Amino acid sequence: MPKNKGKKRAHNNESDAVANKQEATTTSSAEAAPITAEGEMPKKKFYRSRAHCNPLSFNEAFDYPTRPDLFDWTEDHYPEHPTLAQDDTEMSGFNSQSAAIRPDVLDVGCGFGGLTMALSPALPNNTILGLEIRAKVTEYVRLRIVAQRKEHPGQYQNCSVMRTNAMKYLPSFFPKAALEKLFFCFPDPHFKRKNHPRRIVSERLLS
């Protein structure tokens, strides 16, 4: 009798293990499932990421133009920019109107895009771009902008977000004297002397 009870108990343990495994699989599938449809407002809980990222040790490759004037900002970022008019005149391989559209206000380390979104109606005559190094956070801001454009036609067309390492690639996107404003909200101060090269606000970047 004790042996049978032991077998029954073992069988029950196996059943519980299988049930727990199935539940874990269901839970993981449910966690992986939320992918925000284009045009819908994303939920921040699915796009959270570590607050800090060392830009000096971040070795993932980013695409960047060889010269700032070769990058067409209207293709992915400002397809319906307020100043964009229909013009068939070609200039340097793309529309002359498109060539004139370039961000002049940057939100460096934009996070979840609160300031980037607020600057759009506050500075209607400027072109705002949020820069973020974290992939999930950048995607959240992009979806948020797309959702606002859909909900408010004609608005938020002068703001966008781009994933890049601003400390490395900023000069590749913007020529000298091209920016009117730079926002650095809550940058990591890096008090230790050995970490001073990680500071985003530095002579190297601003020069």
Side-chain angles (χ1 to χ4, degrees), residues 10-26:
H11 178 72
N12 290 337
N13 290 338
E14 291 177 1
S15 300
D16 293 340
V18 172
N20 292 335
K21 185 176 181 180
Q22 291 176 347
E23 183 178 355
T25 303
T26 304

Side-chain angles (χ1 to χ4, degrees), residues 71-99:
F71 193 80
D72 184 1
W73 289 99
T74 62
E75 184 175 353
D76 296 320
H77 295 279
Y78 310 100
E80 298 181 16
H81 193 277
T83 61
L84 186 61
Q86 296 296 330
D87 186 0
D88 295 332
T89 304
E90 296 294 326
M91 176 180 174
S92 299
F94 49 84
N95 191 291
S96 59
Q97 295 279 353
S98 302

Side-chain angles (χ1 to χ4, degrees), residues 151-166:
E151 185 177 352
H152 306 283
Q155 299 184 32
Y156 298 98
Q157 298 293 341
N158 65 328
C159 72
S160 186
V161 65
M162 181 173 67
R163 181 175 180 245
T164 189
N165 187 339

